[in-house]
Amino acid sequence: MSNSNQNWQPVCEVSDLVMDSGVCALVRDSNLQEQQIALFYMHCEMQKKQVYAVGNYDPIGKANVLYRGLVGCTDEQIFVASPLYKQRYLLSDGRCLDDDSIKLPVYDARINGNKIEVLL
Amino acid sequence: MSTPKKIVVVGNGMVGHHFVEQLHSLNSEAQPVEITVLSGENRLAYDRVHLSEYFAGKTADDLAMTSENIYRHWGINFHLGAKVTQIDSHKQTVTTVSGDIYSYDKLVLATGSYPFVPPIPGKDKEHCLVYRTIDDLDAISASAKVSKVGVVIGGGLLGLEAANALKQLGLETHVVEFASQLMAVQVDAGGGKLLKEKIEELGVHVHTSKATQEIQAGKERRYQLYFSDGDVLETDLILFSAGIRPYDTLARECALEVGERGGIVINNQCQTRDKNIYAIGECALWNNFIFGLVAPGYTMARVVANHIVLGDESDEYFTGADMSTKLKLMGVDVGSIGDAHGRTPGALTYTYENQPLGVYKKMVVSADKSRLLGAVLIGDTSDYDSLSQYMLNDIELPKSPESLILPSSGEKPRLGADALPASASICSCLNVTKGDIISAIDTGATNITSVKSCTKAASGCGGCANLLKNVVDSELAARGVEIKTDICEHFAYSRQALFDIIKVQGIKSFSDLLAEYGKGKGCEICKPTVGSILASVWNDYVLNPQHVALQDTNDTYLANMQKDGTYSVVPRIPGGEITADKLIVIGQVAKQFGLYTKITGGQRIDLFGARVDQLPLIWQQLIDAGLETGHAYGKSLRTVKSCVGSTWCRYGQQDSVTMAINLENRYKGLRAPHKIKFAVSGCTRECAEAQSKDIGVIATEKGWNLYVCGNGGMKPRHADLFATDLDSVTLVKYIDRILMFYIKTADRLQRTSVWLENMEGGLCYLKKVVIDDELLVADELEAQMARVVNTYQCEWKTTLENPESLKRFRQFVNSDKQDVNIQFVEERGQIRPAKLEEKRELA
Ligand code: SRM
Ligand SMILES: Cc1cc2nc3c(=O)[nH]c(=O)nc-3n(C[C@H](O)[C@H](O)[C@H](O)COP(=O)(O)OP(=O)(O)OC[C@H]3O[C@@H](n4cnc5c(N)ncnc54)[C@H](O)[C@@H]3O)c2cc1C
Ligand code: SF4
Ligand code: FES
């Protein structure tokens, strides 16, 4: 993660997010390639809020749809279920709970004032 | 290793096959056996009990009980189409039609029986058929294609099953019975009378006390049945079902003892007079009785397999069998237990009849009223399991035995599964006792599926499934294993319990429910379930901020996601009726946005290929033109299909289109455990296919017939007739109650068909709740429905008026660009999603 080319990019505002659900942002990664990133805005303990960022491409359904999936949790771990074929992906590390061989790219994300920033 | 004993099995029906299976599993190195199967039919064993399902779409492969590969793998020699024509009991050989000779050490006759065709002149004409084998069924289908009217001669159990088949094949169907009632073997006169009424209600004509004298050429149809009382009946096809006769010629010819009316005489080890020849199944006569059911045949098969392997050390004997039966004939529940006719000296009877509901129950008890001897149940067999256990296990009856069959007004003494002794037979087909189930659980089975796979219980006729479940549940409960009906890890409640909590506690949001009754954050199972219940109970706008994260993705975007991430748009077209103006608008919208257009299976129009950001624009135009959301995305009312009905059609009895439109407008938007589909037909020709819908309505001369819980889809289910000749007000009242009761009590994602199949008491119970209001909930159900109907809103209209909700319909929160992965190619003048390789080429 500590690639020197990386830096925090503002992608949108807090008001663009939907609580307990996802939206999608278009960003350029360190190679200046356009990437679709699914951002999930979640309540966590003590009234705190947190943003998770994972790739928006569903590697099984082969479409850019993950931000439209339903968010859930199992054993305290938060996941998004693909809206196409329902596979669940952990938001923390991108691991697919229904298929070991598959992993989504994950990005560090933070709330900075009213901005949402992603480390790219 | 000793030389293998040669075992030859004649006949590979259900019992012959069961014998092979048993013997194969007992086969050991020490006393090896070599098995040769000679099958008279051109295939190996198949499930004759479920033969009729062949007409409902099952194939010969589906019905097969084994396969040539399995037999080969087991090392069994088998020959198809190898009818045995002769036994030489001195040389110990058999000869087949083709002249092949096989020698045996032990011979097992499992030749079964054949349909008896009474010696009526004309019986051998073409289109005079029987109902026993797959080949017979093929012949019936072929004949039905060129026939309009069919008659079954014989009104016994098989005759009625055959009549149902003819009806399914679309023939006008008659049953002719010599005796004065139907199913005289199993049920008494009172039951027979009710059965006749019920079957006639289903459109089958029943003629009792009719002796057919001759089959002559017909005037209007192919043939004419000429009866001894001078009446005639015109028909194209004749199906004989006048009883069965054992295949015992082989035995007669080699001088084995046979009964007066046929059947190969056997002893308790199923041996014939020749100790090296056994007979099992429907060809065998034990104690002057032929058992025409599989379960006794299976027992015989086990007895013989053991006797062959262990000799006289075997302690298995055939000692008779219970002939109780429970079945559904043309949707009518029929049960017969033990001495149904009360022939035991001194026997007393109790009878309960409810004509309006079509229920008849009779109990036969011993003179001192302490033991149950038999019973007849028509129209409602929910008491069958307990009654048959009272009889089979000789359990003492409660003080007032009649309480066992009376409708439950208060406490009904139920015979709980825990009250049964370990020796109680739970599955008679596979000979599984309660003790066997307990030991399966003791050795690690923890649920019904694993109990089934260790014991094979419920894999025969299936009649024991309910009882099996009760026994397994009660045993697991006794061991402190909780029987989980929890919907997921976040809520330790069933869907029904959650429904009650939400309603009674007045809970209006997922977070409130979670805080008080759940744990964690929820998941893809509980969120949509609770979302749906909240919508059924309070009918709030589904995209309210507190509900939005609960919905399945299709509900969130109010459209159905397609494989490439685009959406389909389906405006409601109530009853399938649409004006030219609205059609034009739909066409214009499709054209403007370049959408793919298709007529759906639900009589409306689906527009495909809309990007998420286009959805609001498209809907704005549709709503401006007076169209509404079609809820194609929701677990809710989909369509009410209609036919043109009396307005245009020359056969129409009532205005089916108006009725369909009214129903669709009444129930649109109603959220339910699964989708709901209706149809309304203008007459019995049924052009709207109402009998395959959750709610089906068919016009009659006097009003409307209501059908419930039909299903197309993966497991089609024919709807059940619920009530007849209703006026429009009563029709709507019943539908209100049925749907709300479904919404209140069904499991998540359970269609009405499965809901009804799983309901204890079945259709009859549903009628009691809805028509008789036995649970005293009818008012509440209607009020609940009225609330939903009165708070309807078109979700797309509300969404368009709400800028906050519209924010969701963006591909990117930070850009107006489009998703480059969505690409179309053209086909037949319209778009379709590009395939992966096409995308590569386009790139
Ligand atoms: C569009 C349509 C096919 C067509 O081109 O005609 C269709 C399309 C879909 N059907 Fe269907 N069904 C369509 C009529 C039917 C019918 C026929 C009918 O309604 O008369 C049936 C059988 C009747 C029945 O339901 O009993 C039918 C049985 C199913 C099933 C199986 C249900 C079952 O109980 O077995 C599913 C799967 C499910 O719901 O879980 C399904 C699911 C689907 C889904 C939602 C699958 C999905 O998740 O993508 C399809 C997407 C619809 C869309 O994108 O708009 N569809 N589907 C039809 C839309 C009718 C409408 O106007 O709303
Ligand atoms: C439509 C229908 C529904 C039924 N429903 C039920 C039910 O719900 N419950 C229930 O318990 N029972 C039911 N039965 C009865 C059940 O199917 C029989 O009891 C069972 O099939 C008997 O098995 P079996 O092996 O003795 O005879 P079969 O299954 O008749 O098998 C005998 C086989 O032997 C062959 N054979 C005959 N002679 C020779 C020969 N000389 N050489 C070689 N082969 C020969 C025959 O061709 C046949 O294939 C039903 C039967 C029918 C037809
Ligand atoms: S169901 Fe009857 S009324 Fe309706 S179109 Fe068909 S024939 Fe006509
Ligand atoms: S009683 Fe027939 S399957 Fe169990």
Side-chain angles (χ1 to χ4, degrees):
Chain A
M1 274 291 157
S2 59
N3 185 323
S4 55
N5 286 337
Q6 280 186 325
N7 50 45
W8 290 99
Q9 278 188 26
V11 292
C12 63
E13 306 205 332
V14 175
S15 61
D16 288 317
L17 303 182
V18 182
M19 199 65 231
D20 293 324
S21 186
V23 299
C24 182
L26 192 64
V27 297
R28 283 187 192 281
D29 63 15
S30 46
N31 303 321
L32 297 179
Q33 292 288 318
E34 274 191 344
Q35 296 291 351
Q36 297 193 16
I37 293 187
L39 298 169
F40 296 92
Y41 188 37
M42 304 300 299
H43 270 114
C44 47
E45 309 316 311
M46 320 287 284
Q47 297 298 313
K48 274 186 64 181
K49 290 165 186 157
Q50 192 178 342
V51 178
Y52 293 91
V54 301
N56 188 38
Y57 186 69
D58 177 344
I60 294 171
K62 308 217 179 309
N64 289 313
V65 294
L66 288 181
Y67 80 94
R68 294 181 224 150
L70 203 95
V71 184
C73 84
T74 177
D75 299 332
E76 304 290 301
Q77 309 194 80
I78 303 177
F79 62 80
V80 59
S82 160
L84 277 172
Y85 303 111
K86 311 282 183 243
Q87 292 84 6
R88 296 162 304 159
Y89 299 91
L90 290 184
L91 295 186
S92 53
D93 60 5
R95 211 151 39 89
C96 178
L97 291 173
D98 304 292
D99 183 344
D100 285 342
S101 65
I102 293 179
K103 218 171 163 228
L104 300 179
V106 286
Y107 305 88
D108 282 336
R110 66 181 183 197
I111 306 172
N112 188 358
N114 67 348
K115 291 266 183 259
I116 303 300
E117 296 178 342
V118 179
L119 187 65
L120 289 160
Chain B
M1 191 168 110
S2 51
T3 39
K5 254 195 236 171
K6 284 188 184 162
I7 314 295
V8 171
V9 192
V10 184
N12 193 239
M14 300 184 74
V15 174
H17 166 67
H18 195 74
F19 168 74
V20 170
E21 215 174 33
Q22 295 293 316
L23 189 58
H24 167 74
S25 70
L26 291 175
N27 200 357
S28 69
E29 294 263 317
Q31 280 153 321
V33 293
E34 183 188 299
I35 308 173
T36 302
V37 169
L38 302 172
S39 167
E41 291 186 60
N42 283 318
R43 43 173 68 85
L44 289 177
Y46 52 89
D47 187 350
R48 209 178 297 289
V49 169
H50 295 105
L51 191 61
S52 299
E53 293 175 17
Y54 193 63
F55 285 129
K58 286 232 168 134
T59 63
D61 277 348
D62 296 333
L63 291 175
M65 306 188 72
T66 182
S67 69
E68 300 189 7
N69 269 337
I70 294 178
Y71 267 27
R72 260 181 229 120
H73 184 72
W74 288 355
I76 289 162
N77 311 311
F78 61 91
H79 304 277
L80 303 179
K83 201 170 166 97
V84 172
T85 50
Q86 204 197 337
I87 303 174
D88 186 331
S89 57
H90 299 290
K91 287 198 198 134
Q92 300 199 187
T93 59
V94 296
T95 312
T96 65
V97 260
S98 51
D100 295 327
I101 296 178
Y102 301 89
S103 63
Y104 66 80
D105 296 317
K106 301 283 175 192
L107 180 66
V108 178
L109 301 175
T111 47
S113 50
Y114 60 91
F116 168 64
V117 178
I120 300 170
K123 69 178 170 49
D124 295 322
K125 291 184 200 272
E126 232 193 310
H127 303 283
C128 291
L129 305 164
V130 295
Y131 198 86
R132 175 90 197 171
T133 64
I134 290 186
D135 291 345
D136 292 339
L137 266 54
D138 286 335
I140 293 169
S141 302
S143 167
K145 288 211 178 88
V146 292
S147 302
K148 274 209 164 119
V149 181
V151 173
V152 176
I153 298 192
L157 199 152
L158 287 182
L160 294 181
E161 202 165 315
N164 192 36
L166 293 188
K167 196 169 157 264
Q168 280 176 351
L169 288 169
L171 300 190
E172 176 189 318
T173 305
H174 299 258
V175 173
V176 173
E177 168 59 50
F178 174 75
S180 58
Q181 69 162 91
L182 295 174
M183 277 182 71
V185 179
Q186 294 87 356
V187 311
D188 64 345
K193 182 167 151 277
L194 186 83
L195 190 63
K196 177 173 180 221
E197 284 164 16
K198 292 205 133 198
I199 285 175
E200 287 186 326
E201 229 173 69
L202 297 169
V204 171
H205 308 270
V206 179
H207 313 264
T208 46
S209 305
K210 289 274 182 221
T212 313
Q213 274 197 330
E214 197 174 341
I215 299 167
Q216 308 162 337
K219 294 207 175 70
E220 277 158 28
R221 309 255 52 101
R222 194 174 289 133
Y223 301 125
Q224 198 175 58
L225 294 187
Y226 182 76
F227 298 123
S228 55
D229 61 5
D231 279 357
V232 291
L233 179 62
E234 295 263 331
T235 182
D236 297 307
L237 182 166
I238 296 162
L239 205 64
F240 289 102
S241 180
I244 53 168
R245 293 289 181 271
Y247 266 126
D248 57 9
T249 359
L250 286 175
R252 285 173 197 270
E253 284 166 4
C254 74
L256 297 179
E257 193 186 347
V258 294
E260 224 171 88
R261 300 189 56 215
I264 310 168
V265 175
I266 55 168
N267 63 17
N268 287 2
Q269 269 124 5
C270 304
Q271 281 166 314
T272 64
R273 187 184 276 171
D274 180 329
K275 296 295 166 241
N276 290 322
I277 306 181
Y278 299 82
I280 56 177
E282 272 185 0
C283 63
L285 184 74
W286 180 87
N287 204 7
N288 229 344
F289 197 83
I290 288 181
F291 295 86
L293 295 175
V294 278
Y298 280 5
T299 309
M300 294 178 192
R302 275 192 297 274
V303 169
V304 174
N306 274 294
H307 198 250
I308 286 179
V309 174
L310 304 172
D312 286 332
E313 275 166 39
S314 162
D315 55 1
E316 298 237 8
Y317 300 97
F318 184 75
T319 53
D322 170 42
M323 294 294 283
S324 301
T325 23
K326 176 172 86 165
L327 61 156
K328 224 188 183 91
L329 284 170
M330 309 193 203
V332 180
D333 290 306
V334 180
S336 160
I337 296 173
D339 180 9
H341 293 269
R343 297 203 172 110
T344 314
L348 300 170
T349 59
Y350 296 91
T351 316
Y352 165 77
E353 182 163 7
N354 182 335
Q355 252 191 349
L357 266 191
V359 173
Y360 174 90
K361 302 181 184 182
K362 183 175 94 173
M363 236 171 37
V364 180
V365 302
S366 59
D368 64 356
K369 297 190 290 187
S370 74
R371 293 291 183 273
L372 186 77
L373 302 173
V376 178
L377 303 168
I378 310 278
D380 174 7
T381 49
S382 50
D383 300 325
Y384 180 90
D385 287 344
S386 2
L387 291 177
S388 59
Q389 291 300 331
Y390 271 108
M391 187 199 71
L392 290 174
N393 299 305
D394 207 26
I395 296 173
E396 186 168 345
L397 288 168
K399 279 258 150 34
S400 18
E402 67 274 22
S403 57
L404 294 175
I405 53 169
L406 289 178
S408 52
S409 42
E411 276 298 276
K412 183 163 190 168
R414 272 199 160 270
L415 185 59
D418 45 344
L420 297 176
S423 59
S425 164
I426 304 302
C427 170
S428 50
C429 289
L430 280 299
N431 193 26
V432 181
T433 60
K434 181 174 166 191
D436 297 332
I437 294 169
I438 293 177
S439 59
I441 294 176
D442 286 340
T443 51
T446 53
N447 55 36
I448 188 103
T449 327
S450 51
V451 170
K452 273 187 186 167
S453 71
C454 329
T455 61
K456 291 209 158 181
S459 63
C461 68
C464 59
N466 268 339
L467 182 61
L468 177 68
K469 183 173 181 307
N470 290 343
V471 172
V472 172
D473 285 354
S474 100
E475 281 306 313
L476 288 175
R479 286 165 174 68
V481 179
E482 237 181 286
I483 298 145
K484 284 218 167 171
T485 50
D486 304 1
I487 66 164
C488 69
E489 64 182 89
H490 305 104
F491 289 99
Y493 298 94
S494 66
R495 182 187 175 281
Q496 183 172 355
L498 286 178
F499 186 98
D500 290 336
I501 291 173
I502 288 174
K503 186 152 183 262
V504 176
Q505 306 299 327
I507 293 177
K508 301 223 164 169
S509 74
F510 181 78
S511 50
D512 289 351
L513 185 72
L514 193 67
E516 274 194 60
Y517 295 92
K519 58 170 191 271
K521 295 193 169 62
C523 65
E524 83 284 13
I525 311 265
C526 59
K527 282 179 172 179
T529 306
V530 172
S532 156
I533 297 175
L534 288 170
S536 303
V537 176
W538 312 118
N539 211 24
D540 283 347
Y541 171 47
V542 290
L543 297 191
N544 267 354
Q546 78 261 36
H547 302 322
V548 68
L550 302 182
Q551 313 301 333
D552 260 325
T553 173
N554 284 349
D555 292 73
T556 313
Y557 293 89
L558 304 170
N560 294 44
M561 182 179 281
Q562 305 300 315
K563 59 198 291 182
D564 59 350
T566 64
Y567 287 90
S568 71
V569 170
V570 192
R572 188 167 292 293
I573 300 182
E577 183 188 84
I578 186 162
T579 60
D581 282 336
K582 284 187 179 158
L583 263 182
I584 289 170
V585 171
I586 292 178
Q588 277 167 343
V589 169
K591 201 159 180 175
Q592 180 184 339
F593 291 89
L595 305 174
Y596 167 82
T597 315
K598 182 179 180 297
I599 310 282
T600 72
Q603 293 192 335
R604 48 191 189 172
I605 300 169
D606 205 343
L607 310 174
F608 292 83
R611 295 192 320 264
V612 67
D613 52 290
Q614 292 176 321
L615 288 172
L617 307 172
I618 292 172
W619 275 106
Q620 189 67 61
Q621 297 199 18
L622 293 172
I623 283 173
D624 289 346
L627 290 151
E628 286 186 306
T629 179
H631 293 100
Y633 44 81
K635 302 283 178 257
S636 55
L637 177 77
R638 291 289 164 86
T639 64
V640 181
K641 194 168 166 174
S642 79
C643 73
V644 283
S646 60
T647 326
W648 292 90
C649 178
R650 62 200 160 122
Y651 296 115
Q653 300 276 11
Q654 309 282 346
D655 183 354
S656 48
V657 178
T658 303
M659 177 55 82
I661 294 175
N662 289 342
L663 291 175
E664 184 152 347
N665 283 328
R666 180 170 181 80
Y667 301 110
K668 63 189 177 190
L670 172 69
R671 289 301 202 276
H674 207 309
K675 58 190 176 194
I676 312 171
K677 300 177 177 186
F678 285 34
V680 185
S681 281
C683 80
T684 55
R685 284 168 193 76
E686 249 283 71
C687 298
E689 301 170 311
Q691 290 166 93
S692 66
K693 301 296 182 207
D694 299 275
I695 298 286
V697 178
I698 302 178
T700 67
E701 219 177 320
K702 298 183 206 129
W704 307 96
N705 282 355
L706 172 60
Y707 288 79
V708 297
C709 304
N711 200 171
M714 317 180 222
K715 191 162 175 284
R717 180 180 191 277
H718 206 274
D720 287 313
L721 181 59
F722 186 80
T724 51
D725 294 327
L726 302 175
D727 57 67
S728 306
V729 175
T730 314
L731 176 72
V732 169
K733 188 165 84 181
Y734 285 176
I735 299 176
D736 274 5
R737 294 178 184 181
I738 293 167
L739 289 183
M740 257 310 153
F741 191 55
Y742 162 63
I743 290 172
K744 201 171 141 67
T745 59
D747 277 339
R748 62 181 278 273
L749 300 186
Q750 191 175 46
R751 288 286 292 266
T752 58
S753 56
V754 184
W755 171 67
L756 184 65
E757 295 279 331
N758 289 354
M759 188 181 293
E760 214 171 299
L763 182 67
C764 184
Y765 177 71
L766 186 61
K767 285 186 188 170
K768 286 181 192 163
V769 174
V770 170
I771 302 177
D772 305 339
D773 194 13
E774 211 168 75
L775 298 181
L776 301 175
V777 291
D779 289 344
E780 182 196 324
L781 297 175
E782 281 177 46
Q784 186 71 39
M785 186 62 83
R787 181 186 174 114
V788 173
V789 171
N790 294 332
T791 52
Y792 169 80
Q793 54 188 314
C794 167
E795 291 149 3
W796 262 112
K797 189 156 179 279
T798 315
T799 303
L800 292 171
E801 288 160 359
N802 184 335
E804 256 321 287
S805 309
L806 281 178
K807 269 174 57 180
R808 301 215 76 189
F809 295 88
R810 293 186 285 179
Q811 175 70 27
F812 304 117
V813 284
N814 59 347
S815 162
D816 289 334
K817 286 196 181 161
Q818 291 170 14
D819 178 1
V820 289
N821 189 43
I822 296 178
Q823 286 177 331
F824 301 114
V825 293
E826 224 184 82
E827 191 170 276
R828 292 184 295 277
Q830 302 204 70
I831 58 159
R832 71 156 168 79
K835 298 176 183 146
L836 272 182
E837 53 288 3
E838 289 165 340
K839 283 188 190 171
R840 265 180 233 124
E841 273 171 36
L842 289 169

